[in-house]
Amino acid sequence: MLASRLTLALLLAALTKASHHATVKRHTSDLHESYDFIIAGGGTAGLTVADRLSEAFPKKTILVVEYGEVEYARGGFDPPDIIFGGASSARGPGVFTFQSLPNPEVRNKTAFVFAGKTVGGSSAVNGMYFDRPSRFDHDAWAEAGSPEFDTSEHKWNWEGIFPYFKKSVTFTEPSIGSVQKYGYTSDISAYGGSTPIFSSFPPFLWADNVIARNAWKEMGIREAKECAGGDKEGLCWIPLSQYPVTARRSHAGLGHYESVSFRPNYHILVKHQVVKIMYPDGTFSGSLLVELRSLVDDQFSNLTAKAEVILAAGAFHTPTILYRSGIGAASVLKDAGIPLVLDLPGVGANLQDHSGPSWSWSYTKPGNFSPMPSDMLNTIFAAKATAAFNETPASGPYTLSMANSAIYVSLPNMTADYTHIVDIIRAMATNGSSSAYLPTDYNAEPSLIAGYKRQLSVLAAFLANPEAPSTEVPFATGTSARIFLLHPLSRGTVRLDVNDHLAQPIVDYRLGSNPADFDLHVAHLKFLRRMLDTPTMRLYGAVETGPGAHVQHDAALREYIKDSMTLSFMHPCCTAAMLPRELGGVVGPDLRVHGLERVRIVDVSVLPFLVSAHTSSTAYAVGEKAADIIIRSWLK
Ligand SMILES: Cc1cc2nc3c(=O)[nH]c(=O)nc-3n(C[C@H](O)[C@H](O)[C@H](O)COP(=O)(O)OP(=O)(O)OC[C@H]3O[C@@H](n4cnc5c(N)ncnc54)[C@H](O)[C@@H]3O)c2cc1C
Ligand SMILES: *[C@@H]1O[C@H](CO)[C@@H](O)[C@H](O)[C@H]1NC(C)=O
Ligand SMILES: *[C@@H]1O[C@H](CO)[C@@H](O)[C@H](O)[C@H]1NC(C)=O
Ligand SMILES: *[C@@H]1O[C@H](CO)[C@@H](O)[C@H](O)[C@H]1NC(C)=O
Ligand SMILES: *[C@@H]1O[C@H](CO)[C@@H](O)[C@H](O)[C@H]1NC(C)=O
């Protein structure tokens, strides 16, 4: 097992080295003195933009500055680690590791979060689950910026972004064999792109997958043919971000860098940190200086960006670059001892992530399900699995990263009492109580409070929509499930470490600071536990073990939820939100930072709130739309 793991890692490392190292830059002395576009962060969205700009403008130069290395970075679920290592196996040089501040409303627990630190960013280390948001997420996103943004030519509603979801990936339909064996369904009309980022179905499922799917159907949950086309309420099959045939991980470093790295106008500088942006002429309209720090020898240097600086360092790091550049809330910058350049309170505010409790059961009657993940403990089975994965085409357990089935259910479909929860959220949006749920330093910033109220009223309408999902329950295998809160109402912050501005930022989720989040969690859990009362689950004598049938009252369920909570499913977002400036926004619909002419943000920081999906597909789609907006603006 260990030997094969090493062999695979070395093989991938060798392949990566051979193809990359001719072009990747390691020292600022290997660079031009200036570039047209400098992109901070060679991750999911940043490389998407770099690829598109270097293709559209062969005469313009593009530099991506990436903190990490060009390497094979072991991902959260990469074979042969996926089954027993879980997310904790995503250690090593390819990730930043964060521990959040304690969350007082959740037993003072701290969230443990990874973020990609490698060429490819988080797409190179994530769980490869490749679903897309609901159309209503994007319609709500556009609504949050309405009417202020209505006159913009750039639309971020579903109609405005769906073409970029389509463009961002190449989808391969499941083989006839796996359709017959597992019942996979898909609809090619949700796809159609030919970009070398791949979305595919694994040719393998654990045998008990069918139990959960049958029980869910018996609960009346509608089986959806395809959930990537915007309609996402029901039981979905979800493809993975992997190549067809080989079943290897597909990520931005391969699809948006390696496959086009021959372009002479596209440079990547690795092992460098973008420190800050400066305005040498003292105006926001001239060319920009970007300060870099080498992570090898700690030397600083400056580069000129003639056209634009594009921030794509992810939801935790994009705000740090802005803060160090003097852009943020005046009070926050004062605490950090940084001279104010532009007062923009939304920087590093509005932090959100997916979280949720677990729910578990056990079977008291026999069922013969084979194969099961526990079979991987058998060395002969495991060796066969490795061999099958290394064949062409690949097959077997290692082609399946985590799950590829889930339910997405709306609040009205879960509880007749949904109007009660929606009314509470509406009241918060209007009666002035909402500021009590925000960080205390928000109180000095009326724009942040106004923006939060706008979000609450848009989200209240979203949650009342029977077609807009409020929870996701992904099923891998086994006897426990995680119940995602797709649209949390609590808001946290990302702040600079005042003692060391170049160190990793301080992440404060403030999970559960808005009590309505627990009302939603309780509704989700009460709905899901009805799953045991289905003919399929009764056949196997399923009994609830967590929380257990004795826990019935909402107050007790709330305590159980706090005890069993996973605080982060590693989808941090929204820390430089696309909202009007008067509502605490950081960027407008053209992705320009409010008040700056030549700085844009293109990563998941710009989401105003979380979507009903894991976030990599949205990072790619935002990157594609951003590239289109930037290209059009420089063609003018
Ligand atoms: C362990 C894990 C599991 C996940 N599982 C899934 C999943 O199964 N499905 C899914 O859809 N999503 C998943 N996600 C989330 C998803 O991958 C991310 O939301 C998405 O990739 C973020 O894209 P991004 O472009 O915003 O940032 P990233 O892709 O994270 O890119 C940011 C890049 O900027 C670099 N950087 C940071 N600071 C600086 C600086 N100062 N200077 C230069 N470079 C810098 C970083 O090294 C990184 O390469 C997971 C994430 C993680 C970490
Ligand atoms: C959480 O920590 C704070 C500060 O240390 C403390 O005052 C509070 O009592 C703690 N809460 C819980 C639930 O442990
Ligand atoms: C959920 O609501 C949608 C839209 O009204 C409906 O089509 C679907 O059948 C509902 N599902 C359940 C389980 O009630
Ligand atoms: C970068 O530019 C700034 C502003 O002009 C200057 O203060 C700093 O010394 C420069 N750094 C280097 C390494 O040249
Ligand atoms: C506002 O509404 C919330 C939710 O219903 C309620 O908890 C709170 O007490 C109300 N505050 C005021 C000032 O009316």
Side-chain angles (χ1 to χ4, degrees):
M1 189 81 172
L2 185 63
S4 61
R5 187 177 302 185
L6 278 175
T7 315
L8 175 68
L10 291 175
L11 180 73
L12 286 173
L15 286 173
T16 312
K17 275 205 180 87
S19 46
H20 277 302
H21 281 211
T23 50
V24 69
K25 310 289 180 192
R26 306 194 156 273
H27 305 282
T28 45
S29 56
D30 302 335
L31 301 178
H32 306 310
E33 269 172 25
S34 65
Y35 285 81
D36 293 296
F37 295 96
I38 298 181
I39 300 179
T44 318
L47 293 178
T48 304
V49 173
D51 178 3
R52 298 299 180 198
L53 293 184
S54 59
E55 176 186 44
F57 298 126
K59 297 231 163 69
K60 290 193 196 291
T61 49
I62 287 90
L63 174 68
V64 174
V65 182
E66 167 52 40
Y67 199 107
E69 243 316 339
V70 175
E71 64 193 338
Y72 165 68
R74 185 151 57 91
F77 304 92
D78 281 343
D81 280 339
I82 48 168
I83 307 299
F84 299 106
S88 63
S89 67
R91 267 177 262 118
V95 291
F96 295 102
T97 308
F98 286 93
Q99 189 158 13
S100 77
L101 294 182
N103 289 266
E105 300 300 331
V106 194
R107 312 269 191 254
N108 274 346
K109 287 196 250 193
T110 60
F112 185 57
V113 199
F114 294 115
K117 181 179 61 173
T118 185
V119 172
S122 297
S123 70
V125 299
N126 71 13
M128 294 162 68
Y129 190 83
F130 213 23
D131 61 334
R132 287 179 184 167
S134 154
R135 66 172 67 248
F136 300 106
D137 291 308
H138 284 278
D139 290 348
W141 173 338
E143 221 177 296
S146 174
E148 293 88 340
F149 291 164
D150 291 351
T151 51
S152 169
E153 65 185 291
H154 309 297
K155 303 296 179 211
W156 289 86
N157 59 6
W158 181 250
E159 205 184 316
I161 198 160
F162 186 42
Y164 299 97
F165 275 104
K166 285 183 162 182
K167 180 181 183 182
S168 66
V169 297
T170 302
F171 175 71
T172 306
E173 290 181 283
S175 68
I176 291 169
S178 55
V179 167
Q180 284 169 347
K181 196 161 173 192
Y182 304 121
Y184 287 154
T185 57
S186 61
D187 180 353
I188 195 81
S189 72
Y191 293 93
S194 59
T195 298
I197 298 295
F198 293 92
S199 175
S200 315
F201 278 89
F204 178 83
L205 282 183
W206 297 108
D208 65 346
N209 193 282
V210 68
I211 298 187
R213 289 187 62 96
N214 286 343
W216 281 330
K217 285 184 254 177
E218 290 161 9
M219 285 171 83
I221 299 172
R222 150 180 65 176
E223 214 178 350
K225 182 176 183 217
E226 174 61 77
C227 292
D231 297 313
K232 199 188 191 194
E233 211 281 343
L235 170 55
C236 299
W237 286 114
I238 306 293
L240 304 175
S241 45
Q242 67 187 20
Y243 289 83
V245 187
T246 65
R248 261 37 175 203
R249 172 191 292 276
S250 167
H251 67 80
L254 300 174
H256 286 302
Y257 173 61
E258 182 175 310
S259 64
V260 294
S261 58
F262 55 84
R263 284 184 202 144
N265 63 333
Y266 181 178
H267 289 173
I268 286 196
L269 176 69
V270 295
K271 300 294 282 181
H272 280 72
Q273 180 180 25
V274 172
V275 177
K276 62 180 174 188
I277 310 164
M278 292 168 290
Y279 306 87
D281 336 333
T283 73
F284 292 147
S285 51
S287 62
L288 305 160
L289 270 187
V290 178
E291 185 177 53
L292 310 180
R293 174 172 77 116
S294 164
L295 298 161
V296 176
D297 60 15
D298 213 32
Q299 292 299 299
F300 287 72
S301 49
N302 289 335
L303 286 177
T304 296
K306 288 182 286 185
E308 289 193 20
V309 174
I310 294 166
L311 302 182
F316 288 150
H317 294 104
T318 285
T320 66
I321 299 173
L322 292 167
Y323 287 137
R324 288 187 297 250
S325 309
I327 300 163
S331 59
V332 170
L333 292 170
K334 195 165 165 235
D335 289 347
I338 296 172
L340 180 72
V341 171
L342 179 67
D343 188 2
L344 214 49
V347 172
N350 201 40
L351 174 66
Q352 297 156 54
D353 202 337
H354 286 142
S355 66
S358 72
W359 172 68
S360 53
W361 66 95
S362 64
Y363 297 117
T364 58
K365 292 183 188 159
N368 185 13
F369 289 97
S370 179
M372 290 286 280
S374 52
D375 290 328
M376 294 296 275
L377 294 170
N378 175 319
T379 49
I380 296 168
F381 184 92
K384 274 190 189 158
T386 304
F389 183 60
N390 288 327
E391 271 163 25
T392 308
S395 61
Y398 284 132
T399 63
L400 171 66
S401 168
M402 293 197 305
N404 74 338
S405 243
I407 49 168
Y408 297 83
V409 191
S410 69
L411 200 58
N413 276 356
M414 281 185 277
T415 168
D417 199 26
Y418 75 95
T419 48
H420 175 64
I421 301 177
V422 168
D423 286 346
I424 289 174
I425 301 168
R426 281 211 181 99
M428 286 174 181
T430 49
N431 76 2
S433 66
S434 57
S435 61
Y437 307 131
L438 294 170
T440 46
D441 55 10
Y442 271 43
N443 287 326
E445 308 291 352
S447 66
L448 291 179
I449 293 172
Y452 185 55
K453 287 183 168 178
R454 172 78 64 87
Q455 291 189 40
L456 289 177
S457 87
V458 169
L459 289 171
F462 179 96
L463 291 169
N465 178 347
E467 295 178 65
S470 177
T471 193
E472 170 190 334
V473 183
F475 184 80
T477 182
T479 51
S480 71
R482 298 275 167 194
I483 315 174
F484 283 44
L485 174 67
L486 289 172
H487 301 93
L489 306 171
S490 301
R491 297 291 178 261
T493 59
V494 174
R495 300 287 191 226
L496 275 192
D497 180 343
V498 293
N499 298 312
D500 182 355
H501 296 169
L502 298 174
Q504 297 312 307
I506 312 292
V507 172
D508 187 6
Y509 276 117
R510 304 179 71 263
L511 225 74
S513 51
N514 184 323
D517 280 346
F518 291 111
D519 296 335
L520 292 166
H521 281 304
V522 168
H524 299 164
L525 176 57
K526 280 163 110 173
F527 170 74
L528 189 65
R529 73 198 311 200
R530 298 198 330 235
M531 187 177 169
L532 297 191
D533 194 23
T534 55
T536 293
M537 291 306 240
R538 283 199 298 265
L539 184 65
Y540 301 106
V543 286
E544 190 178 278
T545 53
H550 60 288
V551 183
Q552 288 297 336
H553 290 116
D554 287 8
L557 288 172
R558 219 170 273 250
E559 297 309 307
Y560 168 79
I561 285 162
K562 293 181 180 189
D563 285 334
S564 71
M565 186 86 98
T566 297
L567 283 80
S568 164
F569 291 118
M570 310 205 190
H571 303 156
C573 75
C574 312
T575 52
M578 183 189 295
L579 285 170
R581 192 168 177 177
E582 318 75 66
L583 295 181
V586 176
V587 300
D590 59 0
L591 299 164
R592 282 196 176 96
V593 173
H594 293 309
L596 301 181
E597 270 178 45
R598 293 168 177 265
V599 182
R600 292 193 224 233
I601 304 176
V602 301
D603 58 22
V604 298
S605 313
V606 305
L607 276 60
F609 31 69
L610 270 166
V611 291
S612 313
H614 301 223
T615 38
S616 70
S617 62
T618 305
Y620 283 120
V622 169
E624 293 286 4
K625 188 166 171 73
D628 209 31
I629 290 170
I630 298 167
I631 290 165
R632 282 201 233 170
S633 92
W634 286 91
L635 283 176
K636 275 182 190 159

